[in-house]
Protein backbone atom coordinates (compact mmCIF):
# COMPACT_ATOMS: atom_id res chain seq x y z
CA UNK A 1 0.00 0.00 0.00
CA UNK A 2 1.31 3.46 -0.92
CA UNK A 3 1.38 6.40 1.46
CA UNK A 4 0.16 8.65 -1.32
CA UNK A 5 1.11 12.27 -1.82
CA UNK A 6 1.94 14.48 1.16
CA UNK A 7 -0.65 17.25 0.88
CA UNK A 8 0.34 20.89 0.74
CA UNK A 9 -0.73 22.90 3.79
CA UNK A 10 -0.09 26.38 5.06
CA UNK A 11 2.99 26.28 7.32
CA UNK A 12 2.32 26.49 11.08
CA UNK A 13 -1.45 26.36 10.81
CA UNK A 14 -3.19 24.45 13.60
CA UNK A 15 -5.89 21.86 14.01
CA UNK A 16 -7.06 20.70 17.45
CA UNK A 17 -8.82 17.44 18.33
CA UNK A 18 -10.23 16.70 21.79
CA UNK A 19 -11.64 13.44 23.13
CA UNK A 20 -14.27 14.10 25.79
CA UNK A 21 -15.96 12.14 28.55
CA UNK A 22 -19.77 11.90 28.56
CA UNK A 23 -21.00 11.50 32.16
CA UNK A 24 -24.33 11.00 33.90
CA UNK A 25 -25.68 13.82 36.01
CA UNK A 26 -26.67 11.47 38.84
CA UNK A 27 -23.59 9.39 39.71
CA UNK A 28 -21.11 11.05 37.30
CA UNK A 29 -20.04 7.69 35.86
CA UNK A 30 -19.59 7.47 32.09
CA UNK A 31 -22.78 7.49 30.02
CA UNK A 32 -22.91 5.43 26.77
CA UNK A 33 -24.91 7.99 24.77
CA UNK A 34 -22.49 9.25 22.11
CA UNK A 35 -24.85 8.11 19.34
CA UNK A 36 -27.69 10.23 20.75
CA UNK A 37 -25.36 13.18 21.21
CA UNK A 38 -24.15 12.94 17.63
CA UNK A 39 -27.73 12.89 16.31
CA UNK A 40 -28.50 16.11 18.17
CA UNK A 41 -25.23 17.70 17.06
CA UNK A 42 -26.08 17.01 13.41
CA UNK A 43 -28.58 19.88 13.64
CA UNK A 44 -25.89 22.40 14.65
CA UNK A 45 -23.59 24.25 12.30
CA UNK A 46 -20.11 24.30 13.82
CA UNK A 47 -16.72 25.36 12.44
CA UNK A 48 -15.16 21.91 12.82
CA UNK A 49 -16.51 18.40 13.33
CA UNK A 50 -17.78 16.01 16.00
CA UNK A 51 -17.48 12.24 15.63
CA UNK A 52 -17.60 9.02 17.68
CA UNK A 53 -14.69 7.36 19.42
CA UNK A 54 -14.00 3.69 20.07
CA UNK A 55 -16.38 3.33 23.04
CA UNK A 56 -19.81 4.89 23.30
CA UNK A 57 -19.09 7.03 26.35
CA UNK A 58 -16.60 9.15 24.39
CA UNK A 59 -16.90 11.79 21.73
CA UNK A 60 -14.26 13.65 19.71
CA UNK A 61 -14.47 17.24 18.55
CA UNK A 62 -12.12 18.87 16.07
CA UNK A 63 -11.60 22.44 14.91
CA UNK A 64 -11.10 23.48 11.34
CA UNK A 65 -7.74 24.73 10.09
CA UNK A 66 -6.77 27.60 12.41
CA UNK A 67 -4.25 30.38 11.88
CA UNK A 68 -3.29 30.43 15.54
CA UNK A 69 -4.24 30.45 19.21
CA UNK A 70 -7.05 32.99 18.97
CA UNK A 71 -8.93 31.23 16.21
CA UNK A 72 -8.45 27.83 17.87
CA UNK A 73 -9.91 29.16 21.13
CA UNK A 74 -12.87 30.73 19.32
CA UNK A 75 -13.69 27.54 17.40
CA UNK A 76 -13.29 25.36 20.48
CA UNK A 77 -15.68 27.66 22.32
CA UNK A 78 -18.30 27.49 19.59
CA UNK A 79 -18.14 23.69 19.37
CA UNK A 80 -18.11 23.34 23.17
CA UNK A 81 -21.22 25.50 23.52
CA UNK A 82 -23.12 23.44 20.93
CA UNK A 83 -22.08 20.18 22.60
CA UNK A 84 -23.09 21.44 26.02
CA UNK A 85 -26.51 22.49 24.69
CA UNK A 86 -27.07 19.01 23.25
CA UNK A 87 -25.75 17.25 26.36
CA UNK A 88 -28.16 19.19 28.56
CA UNK A 89 -31.06 17.94 26.43
CA UNK A 90 -29.91 14.38 27.24
CA UNK A 91 -29.39 15.18 30.94
CA UNK A 92 -25.69 14.36 30.73
CA UNK A 93 -22.53 16.43 31.08
CA UNK A 94 -19.21 16.65 29.28
CA UNK A 95 -15.88 16.54 30.98
CA UNK A 96 -12.18 16.94 30.23
CA UNK A 97 -9.40 14.93 31.85
CA UNK A 98 -7.26 12.14 30.44
CA UNK A 99 -9.03 9.36 32.36
CA UNK A 100 -12.39 9.04 34.07
CA UNK A 101 -11.48 8.68 37.76
CA UNK A 102 -13.61 5.65 38.65
CA UNK A 103 -15.15 4.06 35.54
CA UNK A 104 -14.56 0.33 34.97
CA UNK A 105 -13.49 -0.73 31.49
CA UNK A 106 -15.58 -3.93 31.58
CA UNK A 107 -18.76 -1.84 31.39
CA UNK A 108 -17.82 -0.03 28.20
CA UNK A 109 -19.48 -0.65 24.82
CA UNK A 110 -17.69 -0.55 21.49
CA UNK A 111 -19.25 2.06 19.21
CA UNK A 112 -20.96 0.54 16.16
CA UNK A 113 -18.56 1.06 13.27
CA UNK A 114 -16.70 -1.61 11.29
CA UNK A 115 -13.27 -0.12 12.13
CA UNK A 116 -13.93 0.00 15.88
CA UNK A 117 -15.11 -3.63 15.85
CA UNK A 118 -12.02 -4.63 13.87
CA UNK A 119 -9.85 -2.94 16.49
CA UNK A 120 -11.79 -4.67 19.25
CA UNK A 121 -11.28 -8.06 17.59
CA UNK A 122 -7.56 -7.36 17.19
CA UNK A 123 -6.74 -5.81 20.57
CA UNK A 124 -9.22 -7.57 22.85
CA UNK A 125 -9.69 -5.99 26.28
CA UNK A 126 -7.21 -3.24 25.42
CA UNK A 127 -9.88 -1.71 23.20
CA UNK A 128 -12.23 -1.06 26.12
CA UNK A 129 -9.33 -0.01 28.32
CA UNK A 130 -8.63 2.56 25.64
CA UNK A 131 -11.51 4.61 27.07
CA UNK A 132 -8.99 7.37 27.74
CA UNK A 133 -9.10 10.92 26.52
CA UNK A 134 -6.44 12.89 24.70
CA UNK A 135 -5.79 16.11 22.81
CA UNK A 136 -4.15 15.93 19.39
CA UNK A 137 -2.63 18.99 17.73
CA UNK A 138 -1.88 19.16 13.99
CA UNK A 139 0.76 21.56 12.68
CA UNK A 140 0.81 22.46 9.00
CA UNK A 141 4.04 21.73 7.09
CA UNK A 142 5.02 23.02 3.63
CA UNK A 143 6.60 19.72 2.51
CA UNK A 144 6.99 16.11 3.57
CA UNK A 145 10.72 16.41 4.29
CA UNK A 146 10.16 19.50 6.43
CA UNK A 147 7.42 17.64 8.29
CA UNK A 148 9.83 14.88 9.31
CA UNK A 149 12.50 17.36 10.39
CA UNK A 150 9.93 19.20 12.52
CA UNK A 151 8.68 15.90 13.96
CA UNK A 152 12.13 14.97 15.25
CA UNK A 153 12.82 18.46 16.55
CA UNK A 154 9.49 18.51 18.39
CA UNK A 155 10.19 15.07 19.91
CA UNK A 156 12.74 16.64 22.27
CA UNK A 157 9.81 18.45 23.94
CA UNK A 158 7.48 15.47 24.35
CA UNK A 159 8.12 15.32 28.14
CA UNK A 160 7.43 19.04 28.47
CA UNK A 161 4.10 18.62 26.68
CA UNK A 162 3.13 15.58 28.74
CA UNK A 163 3.86 17.41 32.00
CA UNK A 164 1.91 20.52 31.01
CA UNK A 165 -1.14 18.61 29.79
CA UNK A 166 -1.24 15.83 32.43
CA UNK A 167 -4.78 15.39 33.77
CA UNK A 168 -5.18 11.68 34.54
CA UNK A 169 -4.04 10.83 38.09
CA UNK A 170 -6.97 8.50 38.89
CA UNK A 171 -7.84 5.11 37.36
CA UNK A 172 -10.71 2.86 38.53
CA UNK A 173 -11.08 4.69 41.82
CA UNK A 174 -7.39 4.82 42.76
CA UNK A 175 -4.71 7.49 42.71
CA UNK A 176 -2.11 5.92 40.44
CA UNK A 177 0.75 8.16 41.57
CA UNK A 178 1.10 9.25 37.93
CA UNK A 179 0.19 12.71 36.67
CA UNK A 180 -0.61 11.11 33.29
CA UNK A 181 -1.79 7.53 33.79
CA UNK A 182 -3.58 7.76 30.44
CA UNK A 183 -0.38 7.28 28.52
CA UNK A 184 0.24 3.92 30.20
CA UNK A 185 -2.82 2.67 28.29
CA UNK A 186 -1.48 4.07 25.02
CA UNK A 187 1.96 2.50 25.56
CA UNK A 188 0.32 -0.94 25.78
CA UNK A 189 -0.40 -0.85 22.05
CA UNK A 190 2.11 -2.15 19.53
CA UNK A 191 3.62 0.54 17.31
CA UNK A 192 3.33 3.17 20.03
CA UNK A 193 6.23 5.32 21.21
CA UNK A 194 8.56 7.23 18.88
CA UNK A 195 8.69 7.42 15.10
CA UNK A 196 11.76 6.01 13.31
CA UNK A 197 14.62 8.46 12.77
CA UNK A 198 14.28 9.23 9.07
CA UNK A 199 14.51 12.78 7.74
CA UNK A 200 13.35 12.43 4.13
CA UNK A 201 9.99 11.32 2.79
CA UNK A 202 11.71 8.91 0.41
CA UNK A 203 13.28 7.10 3.37
CA UNK A 204 9.96 7.15 5.22
CA UNK A 205 8.20 5.61 2.23
CA UNK A 206 10.83 2.85 2.22
CA UNK A 207 10.17 2.20 5.91
CA UNK A 208 6.39 2.24 5.36
CA UNK A 209 6.74 -0.19 2.45
CA UNK A 210 8.67 -2.64 4.61
CA UNK A 211 6.07 -2.41 7.38
CA UNK A 212 3.12 -2.96 5.04
CA UNK A 213 4.85 -5.96 3.46
CA UNK A 214 4.96 -7.59 6.89
CA UNK A 215 1.18 -7.21 7.13
CA UNK A 216 1.56 -5.51 10.52
CA UNK A 217 0.19 -2.19 9.25
CA UNK A 218 -2.16 -1.16 6.46
CA UNK A 219 -2.04 2.62 6.91
CA UNK A 220 -0.82 5.50 9.06
CA UNK A 221 -3.69 4.98 11.53
CA UNK A 222 -1.99 1.78 12.69
CA UNK A 223 0.90 3.81 14.14
CA UNK A 224 0.19 5.07 17.66
CA UNK A 225 3.37 7.16 17.79
CA UNK A 226 3.73 10.15 20.09
CA UNK A 227 4.06 12.29 16.95
CA UNK A 228 3.18 11.02 13.50
CA UNK A 229 3.01 12.53 10.03
CA UNK A 230 -0.44 12.88 8.46
CA UNK A 231 0.18 13.01 4.71
CA UNK A 232 -3.49 13.48 3.80
CA UNK A 233 -3.56 16.70 5.87
CA UNK A 234 0.00 17.86 5.21
CA UNK A 235 0.69 18.00 8.96
CA UNK A 236 2.46 16.41 11.85
CA UNK A 237 0.16 15.30 14.66
CA UNK A 238 1.25 15.63 18.31
CA UNK A 239 -0.61 12.94 20.28
CA UNK A 240 0.76 12.84 23.85
CA UNK A 241 -1.48 15.44 25.49
CA UNK A 242 -4.17 14.47 28.00
CA UNK A 243 -7.46 16.26 27.34
CA UNK A 244 -7.36 19.44 29.47
CA UNK A 245 -10.15 20.46 31.84
CA UNK A 246 -10.93 23.67 29.90
CA UNK A 247 -10.93 24.86 26.30
CA UNK A 248 -8.66 27.71 27.38
CA UNK A 249 -5.95 25.22 28.40
CA UNK A 250 -6.46 23.23 25.19
CA UNK A 251 -5.98 26.35 23.08
CA UNK A 252 -2.95 27.39 25.15
CA UNK A 253 -1.27 24.02 24.53
CA UNK A 254 -1.94 24.37 20.80
CA UNK A 255 -0.49 27.89 20.86
CA UNK A 256 2.61 26.64 22.68
CA UNK A 257 3.11 23.90 20.08
CA UNK A 258 2.77 26.44 17.27
CA UNK A 259 5.41 28.66 18.90
CA UNK A 260 7.72 25.68 19.34
CA UNK A 261 7.27 24.74 15.69
CA UNK A 262 8.09 28.27 14.52
CA UNK A 263 11.19 28.44 16.73
CA UNK A 264 12.43 25.05 15.54
CA UNK A 265 11.75 25.92 11.90
CA UNK A 266 13.24 29.42 11.80
CA UNK A 267 16.09 29.24 14.30
CA UNK A 268 17.03 25.55 14.06
CA UNK A 269 18.42 25.53 17.62
CA UNK A 270 19.44 21.85 17.55
CA UNK A 271 21.27 19.53 15.20
CA UNK A 272 19.09 16.45 14.85
CA UNK A 273 20.60 13.08 15.72
CA UNK A 274 19.45 9.55 16.48
CA UNK A 275 21.20 10.05 19.83
CA UNK A 276 18.49 12.59 20.74
CA UNK A 277 16.33 9.55 21.48
CA UNK A 278 18.72 7.92 23.98
CA UNK A 279 16.98 9.48 27.05
CA UNK A 280 13.58 9.65 25.31
CA UNK A 281 11.81 6.83 27.17
CA UNK A 282 13.26 7.92 30.53
CA UNK A 283 12.18 11.52 29.97
CA UNK A 284 8.71 10.46 28.92
CA UNK A 285 8.30 8.25 31.98
CA UNK A 286 9.45 11.04 34.30
CA UNK A 287 6.87 13.41 32.81
CA UNK A 288 4.06 10.88 33.11
CA UNK A 289 4.97 9.91 36.66
CA UNK A 290 5.94 13.24 38.23
CA UNK A 291 4.57 15.89 35.87
CA UNK A 292 6.22 19.29 36.16
CA UNK A 293 8.48 17.96 38.93
CA UNK A 294 9.90 15.21 36.72
CA UNK A 295 13.52 15.05 35.61
CA UNK A 296 14.52 16.00 32.07
CA UNK A 297 17.80 14.69 30.70
CA UNK A 298 19.16 16.99 28.01
CA UNK A 299 19.94 14.67 25.07
CA UNK A 300 22.79 16.91 23.93
CA UNK A 301 24.66 17.55 27.19
CA UNK A 302 23.38 14.82 29.52
CA UNK A 303 22.51 17.49 32.10
CA UNK A 304 19.62 16.68 34.44
CA UNK A 305 17.07 19.46 34.99
CA UNK A 306 13.61 19.69 36.55
CA UNK A 307 10.96 19.90 33.83
CA UNK A 308 9.36 22.91 35.51
CA UNK A 309 12.64 24.82 35.28
CA UNK A 310 13.43 23.72 31.74
CA UNK A 311 9.93 24.75 30.63
CA UNK A 312 10.49 28.24 32.03
CA UNK A 313 13.66 28.50 29.95
CA UNK A 314 11.96 27.22 26.80
CA UNK A 315 9.05 29.63 27.21
CA UNK A 316 11.51 32.51 27.44
CA UNK A 317 12.96 31.54 24.07
CA UNK A 318 9.49 31.58 22.53
CA UNK A 319 8.40 35.10 23.55
CA UNK A 320 9.31 36.71 20.22
CA UNK A 321 7.53 33.98 18.29
CA UNK A 322 4.48 34.24 20.54
CA UNK A 323 4.31 37.98 19.85
CA UNK A 324 4.47 37.40 16.09
CA UNK A 325 1.82 34.66 16.27
CA UNK A 326 -0.52 36.38 18.73
CA UNK A 327 0.04 33.59 21.25
CA UNK A 328 1.09 35.66 24.28
CA UNK A 329 -2.12 34.70 26.21
CA UNK A 330 -1.29 31.04 25.67
CA UNK A 331 2.19 31.32 27.14
CA UNK A 332 0.88 33.49 30.00
CA UNK A 333 -1.60 30.79 31.05
CA UNK A 334 1.08 28.09 30.96
CA UNK A 335 3.54 30.24 32.93
CA UNK A 336 0.91 30.73 35.65
CA UNK A 337 0.52 26.96 35.98
CA UNK A 338 4.26 26.32 36.02
CA UNK A 339 4.91 29.00 38.63
CA UNK A 340 1.96 28.36 40.91
CA UNK A 341 -1.29 26.50 40.28
CA UNK A 342 0.24 23.39 38.70
CA UNK A 343 -1.20 21.23 35.94
CA UNK A 344 -4.72 19.80 35.77
CA UNK A 345 -3.60 16.61 37.58
CA UNK A 346 -2.67 18.78 40.59
CA UNK A 347 -6.10 20.48 40.47
CA UNK A 348 -7.90 17.11 40.44
CA UNK A 349 -5.81 15.81 43.33
CA UNK A 350 -6.46 18.92 45.44
CA UNK A 351 -10.20 18.48 44.86
CA UNK A 352 -10.10 14.80 45.87
CA UNK A 353 -8.11 15.62 49.02
CA UNK A 354 -10.71 18.23 49.89
CA UNK A 355 -13.84 16.14 49.27
CA UNK A 356 -12.64 12.50 49.38
CA UNK A 357 -15.33 11.73 46.80
CA UNK A 358 -14.45 11.04 43.18
CA UNK A 359 -17.98 11.67 41.79
CA UNK A 360 -17.69 15.18 43.23
CA UNK A 361 -14.34 15.56 41.46
CA UNK A 362 -16.02 14.64 38.16
CA UNK A 363 -18.93 16.99 38.85
CA UNK A 364 -16.57 19.91 39.47
CA UNK A 365 -14.47 19.01 36.44
CA UNK A 366 -17.59 18.94 34.22
CA UNK A 367 -18.58 22.39 35.50
CA UNK A 368 -15.14 23.67 34.44
CA UNK A 369 -15.52 22.13 31.00
CA UNK A 370 -19.00 23.61 30.56
CA UNK A 371 -17.46 27.01 31.30
Amino acid sequence: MSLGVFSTSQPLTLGVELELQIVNNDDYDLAPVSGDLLRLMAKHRIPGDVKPEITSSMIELSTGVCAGHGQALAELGEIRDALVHCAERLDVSLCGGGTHPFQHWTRRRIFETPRFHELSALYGYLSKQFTVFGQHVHVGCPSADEALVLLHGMSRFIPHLIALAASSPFVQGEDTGFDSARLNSVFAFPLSGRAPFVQTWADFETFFGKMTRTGVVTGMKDFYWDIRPKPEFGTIEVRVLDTPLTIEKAAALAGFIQCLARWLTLEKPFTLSEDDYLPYTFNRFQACRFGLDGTFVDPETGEHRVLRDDLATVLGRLDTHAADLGAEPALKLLRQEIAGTGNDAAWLRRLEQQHHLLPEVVRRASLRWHG
Side-chain angles (χ1 to χ4, degrees):
M1 175 179 289
S2 171
L3 270 173
V5 177
F6 191 92
S7 298
T8 301
S9 66
Q10 189 68 27
L12 301 178
T13 47
L14 293 174
V16 180
E17 299 167 354
L18 294 174
E19 297 160 344
L20 299 176
Q21 306 176 33
I22 310 171
V23 298
N24 293 308
N25 284 337
D26 49 2
D27 61 2
Y28 290 93
D29 200 352
L30 289 177
V33 298
S34 61
D36 295 331
L37 192 55
L38 286 166
R39 281 190 285 275
L40 291 177
M41 279 296 295
K43 301 174 184 178
H44 287 259
R45 295 186 64 182
I46 55 174
D49 192 19
V50 178
K51 58 187 178 182
E53 258 299 337
I54 189 164
T55 62
S56 58
S57 302
M58 312 171 65
I59 201 159
E60 180 183 274
L61 68 84
S62 57
T63 68
V65 178
C66 298
H69 167 261
Q71 185 181 353
L73 178 58
E75 292 197 8
L76 287 171
E78 191 172 340
I79 301 167
R80 187 271 312 271
D81 291 347
L83 274 167
V84 166
H85 173 75
C86 293
E88 288 173 347
R89 290 185 60 188
L90 296 172
D91 194 27
V92 295
S93 293
L94 300 168
C95 191
T99 55
H100 184 280
F102 60 88
Q103 68 95 13
H104 287 269
W105 64 267
T106 54
R107 300 173 187 166
R108 305 285 65 87
R109 305 175 191 170
I110 301 297
F111 191 87
E112 291 293 336
T113 72
R115 173 168 170 77
F116 291 152
H117 281 288
E118 288 170 12
L119 291 174
S120 179
L122 175 61
Y123 292 120
Y125 83 106
L126 290 177
S127 302
K128 291 186 177 182
Q129 286 204 332
F130 208 48
T131 305
V132 292
F133 310 86
Q135 172 177 354
H136 301 166
V137 177
H138 291 262
V139 182
C141 301
S143 73
D145 287 358
E146 288 169 280
L148 291 173
V149 170
L150 180 58
L151 183 155
H152 294 300
M154 189 76 72
S155 291
R156 179 183 294 245
F157 300 98
I158 285 299
H160 305 71
L161 293 167
I162 291 171
L164 281 171
S167 62
S168 51
F170 302 108
V171 173
Q172 296 197 45
E174 301 292 336
D175 189 330
T176 63
F178 281 72
D179 272 21
S180 178
R182 163 187 163 267
L183 283 171
N184 293 328
S185 296
V186 180
F187 298 159
F189 283 76
L191 305 175
S192 61
R194 49 158 286 200
F197 187 70
V198 295
Q199 298 183 70
T200 69
W201 197 247
D203 288 343
F204 189 82
E205 286 183 316
T206 299
F207 163 82
F208 185 81
K210 291 177 180 178
M211 290 299 293
T212 53
R213 282 197 296 275
T214 67
V216 173
V217 301
T218 59
M220 283 302 302
K221 278 188 172 290
D222 295 319
F223 294 112
Y224 289 83
W225 295 331
D226 295 342
I227 311 178
R228 69 184 178 190
K230 289 287 283 185
E232 65 269 37
F233 294 161
T235 66
I236 62 167
E237 180 188 15
V238 180
R239 299 167 47 81
V240 294
L241 308 170
D242 285 358
T243 295
L245 298 179
T246 65
I247 59 169
E248 290 79 11
K249 177 69 174 288
L253 289 166
F256 174 55
I257 288 172
Q258 187 185 39
C259 291
L260 270 178
R262 191 174 193 265
W263 176 51
L264 291 167
T265 300
L266 296 183
E267 298 189 32
K268 297 180 171 57
F270 311 109
T271 300
L272 298 181
S273 167
E274 173 68 45
D275 287 353
D276 292 345
Y277 288 101
L278 291 175
Y280 185 85
T281 303
F282 174 85
N283 284 340
R284 190 174 60 175
F285 169 80
Q286 284 282 316
C288 290
R289 175 70 174 85
F290 301 109
L292 295 168
D293 295 320
T295 298
F296 173 70
V297 179
D298 189 309
E300 203 163 24
T301 67
E303 181 184 355
H304 288 218
R305 299 190 288 270
V306 178
L307 270 168
R308 187 188 303 273
D309 298 336
D310 201 62
L311 265 165
T313 301
V314 171
L315 286 167
R317 294 175 180 171
L318 300 181
D319 281 335
T320 301
H321 300 284
D324 291 341
L325 293 168
E328 294 106 321
L331 300 200
K332 180 181 178 181
L333 186 154
L334 299 180
R335 280 191 169 105
Q336 289 172 342
E337 291 196 354
I338 293 165
T341 57
N343 58 22
D344 284 345
W347 186 88
L348 291 164
R349 280 198 172 101
R350 284 196 298 271
L351 209 58
E352 193 280 330
Q353 289 163 7
Q354 180 182 354
H355 296 281
H356 305 289
L357 191 64
L358 287 175
E360 177 64 11
V361 173
V362 179
R363 187 183 77 84
R364 296 291 187 94
S366 66
L367 288 174
R368 285 194 72 184
W369 178 261
H370 283 228

